[in-house]
Amino acid sequence: MDLLNTLVDKGLRRELPTREEALAVLATSDDELLDVVAAAGRVRRQWFGRRVKLNYLVNLKSGLCPEDCSYCSQRLGSKADILKYTWLKPDEASKAAAAGVAGGAKRVCLVASGRGPTDRDIARVSETIETIKEQNEGVEICACLGLLSDGQAERLRAAGADAYNHNLNTSEGTYGDITTTHTYQDRVDTVTKAHDAGLSACSGLIAGMGESDEDLVDVVFALRDLDPDSVPVNFLIPFEGTPLAKEWNLTPQRCLRILAMTRFVCPDVEVRLAGGREVHLRSMQPLALHLVNSIFLGDYLTSEGQAGQADLDMIADAGFEVEGTGTTTLPEHRADALAAAGCGSHEGGGCGPCGGSASEVPEQAAADQARTDLVAVRRRGAGTDLAPNA
């Protein structure tokens, strides 16, 4: 296909495709899917080889969030039967992090529900970061605490944080349809604060909320403009008890096209396969490794992922290798730019704590593909007495 040849050439040169080209990727047929994956895979290998970075989520504080994000099981008014607990103590968080590191995770992502941290929360998380780094040599830390106030990103960096995650989630034009308690611009401002403080900025999206192809292209191009080092791609996990519980708009093929489009638009950025991969990609997860260079190991914030060992087996069986702590994640030109900004030890990455176009999947077909059996609430790990999945 001329389209794919053009996109590969642009990706190898780090040249931005046009919106029309990005939309055309999403419009390709299932018969063309393997060609699309192969083309985007060439771009992925150019900048990241066959390495896969493993990341591990630790939910520091679960549930009871005052924000009304429709996709989130922790939202205001959520009836989802998730774990609810207040802040983990630093040693508890470090113990949870150690399980992920032992499983091969290079980065630990510390997440807390809420609109944003108070100064007391920043002090608490700073102590947690210091404890984890003391007890787990070489680990990278990404914080994801919501909207930041002035000076808070600087305090997190001083405590040893390497990155900060705050996702845009969807396009500016549709943002008000999923959240009313804060704005799209609030999210942009927080990503900018993290970047300006010298943290490696991480920001991504959630697909499958009924958005159009144009919305998906809008948010990925907006992310490209923000220039984060990491772009996590989440696929909606339709939790019972949330407003989007009936949104089953994704097929494995659609998920792969979304990942490929993201790779073409962000060729040299760490693209992470995040929440919802087990629910929507299912047996086609290994194909996604040709598009992304980063995944989460084990469980997510409030839902269970596949077994950590299954993740490692999948990576090995697909012919990829787990990225070691001695390897810089980002391509040299991005790592150098980050170092020049005053963040020399931080290699990029981040976390995607959450997790199709409805118009492309007929209503009955979407209902037929609903796999509610794959949405399992997390009952182990942080906040419980059971061993974590790592």
Side-chain angles (χ1 to χ4, degrees):
M1 292 174 64
D2 289 342
L3 168 68
L4 296 180
N5 290 334
T6 297
L7 288 170
V8 169
D9 288 344
K10 287 186 173 184
L12 299 182
R13 299 195 304 266
R14 294 187 287 132
E15 182 181 336
L16 185 67
T18 66
R19 285 182 53 84
E20 290 72 24
E21 289 166 341
L23 285 166
V25 173
L26 297 178
T28 53
S29 70
D30 288 352
D31 288 342
E32 299 165 314
L33 182 64
L34 290 181
D35 293 330
V36 172
V37 171
R42 286 186 58 192
V43 178
R44 180 249 200 267
R45 291 192 300 276
Q46 166 71 18
W47 302 112
F48 299 97
R50 302 189 72 83
R51 295 177 282 112
V52 178
K53 183 175 181 177
L54 297 181
N55 308 266
Y56 190 69
L57 286 163
V58 177
N59 198 356
L60 295 178
K61 180 168 72 76
S62 182
L64 305 175
C65 182
E67 303 299 287
D68 69 354
C69 307
S70 299
Y71 52 80
C72 187
S73 62
Q74 304 183 77
R75 74 186 296 271
L76 178 69
S78 171
K79 294 180 174 58
D81 186 25
I82 61 169
L83 290 171
K84 299 180 178 69
Y85 52 87
T86 190
W87 290 95
L88 297 181
K89 294 181 174 60
D91 283 343
E92 293 173 326
S94 184
K95 181 179 179 180
V101 173
K106 181 176 180 179
R107 169 158 294 190
V108 171
C109 304
L110 302 176
V111 189
S113 63
R115 178 179 177 84
T118 64
D119 286 342
R120 181 181 178 187
D121 293 336
I122 293 293
R124 188 195 326 260
V125 175
S126 294
E127 183 181 354
T128 297
I129 292 170
E130 291 164 357
T131 301
I132 291 173
K133 289 217 162 186
E134 287 172 359
Q135 298 178 4
N136 299 273
E137 184 177 359
V139 70
E140 299 173 7
I141 300 291
C142 174
C144 179
L145 311 173
L147 302 173
L148 291 175
S149 301
D150 290 345
Q152 291 183 329
E154 287 79 3
R155 289 178 62 188
L156 290 169
R157 183 176 176 233
D162 298 279
Y164 195 84
N165 165 262
H166 200 60
N167 294 333
L168 296 187
N169 289 328
T170 193
S171 68
E172 183 174 13
T174 58
Y175 195 83
D177 295 335
I178 64 166
T179 304
T180 66
T181 47
H182 60 266
T183 67
Y184 177 91
Q185 188 59 47
D186 289 334
R187 288 186 169 266
V188 170
D189 291 346
T190 285
V191 177
T192 301
K193 283 185 173 71
H195 189 276
D196 290 348
L199 290 168
S200 177
C202 168
S203 189
L205 65 141
I206 305 173
M209 297 189 289
E211 69 283 334
S212 67
D213 285 1
E214 289 76 10
D215 291 322
L216 286 169
V217 170
D218 281 349
V219 68
V220 175
F221 271 64
L223 289 165
R224 171 72 181 241
D225 289 342
L226 277 178
D227 196 30
D229 294 314
S230 176
V231 174
V233 180
N234 297 274
F235 300 110
L236 177 71
I237 301 176
F239 273 95
E240 289 296 328
T242 65
L244 299 184
K246 306 304 180 186
E247 293 287 340
W248 288 87
N249 304 313
L250 297 170
T251 65
Q253 294 81 7
R254 173 126 177 112
C255 293
L256 290 170
R257 283 190 284 268
I258 291 168
L259 292 170
M261 184 270 287
T262 304
R263 173 56 71 196
F264 285 130
V265 177
C266 305
D268 60 339
V269 169
E270 180 185 344
V271 176
R272 174 163 310 136
L273 182 56
R277 64 178 165 95
E278 298 90 344
V279 177
H280 297 292
L281 278 164
R282 301 187 288 277
S283 62
M284 294 181 74
Q285 290 180 70
L287 275 180
L289 296 178
H290 293 272
L291 308 171
V292 305
N293 62 294
S294 181
I295 67 170
F296 283 110
L297 176 73
D299 292 338
Y300 303 96
L301 297 180
T302 61
S303 65
E304 291 186 355
Q306 66 186 23
Q309 186 59 52
D311 290 334
L312 298 176
D313 291 343
M314 176 180 71
I315 291 168
D317 289 347
F320 292 85
E321 60 184 19
V322 173
E323 182 175 290
T325 56
T327 302
T328 299
T329 299
L330 295 174
E332 185 176 358
H333 62 273
R334 290 195 69 92
D336 288 347
L338 194 57
C343 187
S345 65
H346 310 327
E347 298 176 1
C351 51
C354 306
S357 167
S359 62
E360 292 218 352
V361 182
E363 183 176 346
Q364 186 57 48
D368 290 345
Q369 293 177 27
R371 288 295 305 272
T372 55
D373 60 305
L374 294 178
V375 181
V377 173
R378 181 174 68 84
R379 301 293 186 199
R380 59 196 176 192
T384 78
D385 294 328
L386 299 178
N389 172 30

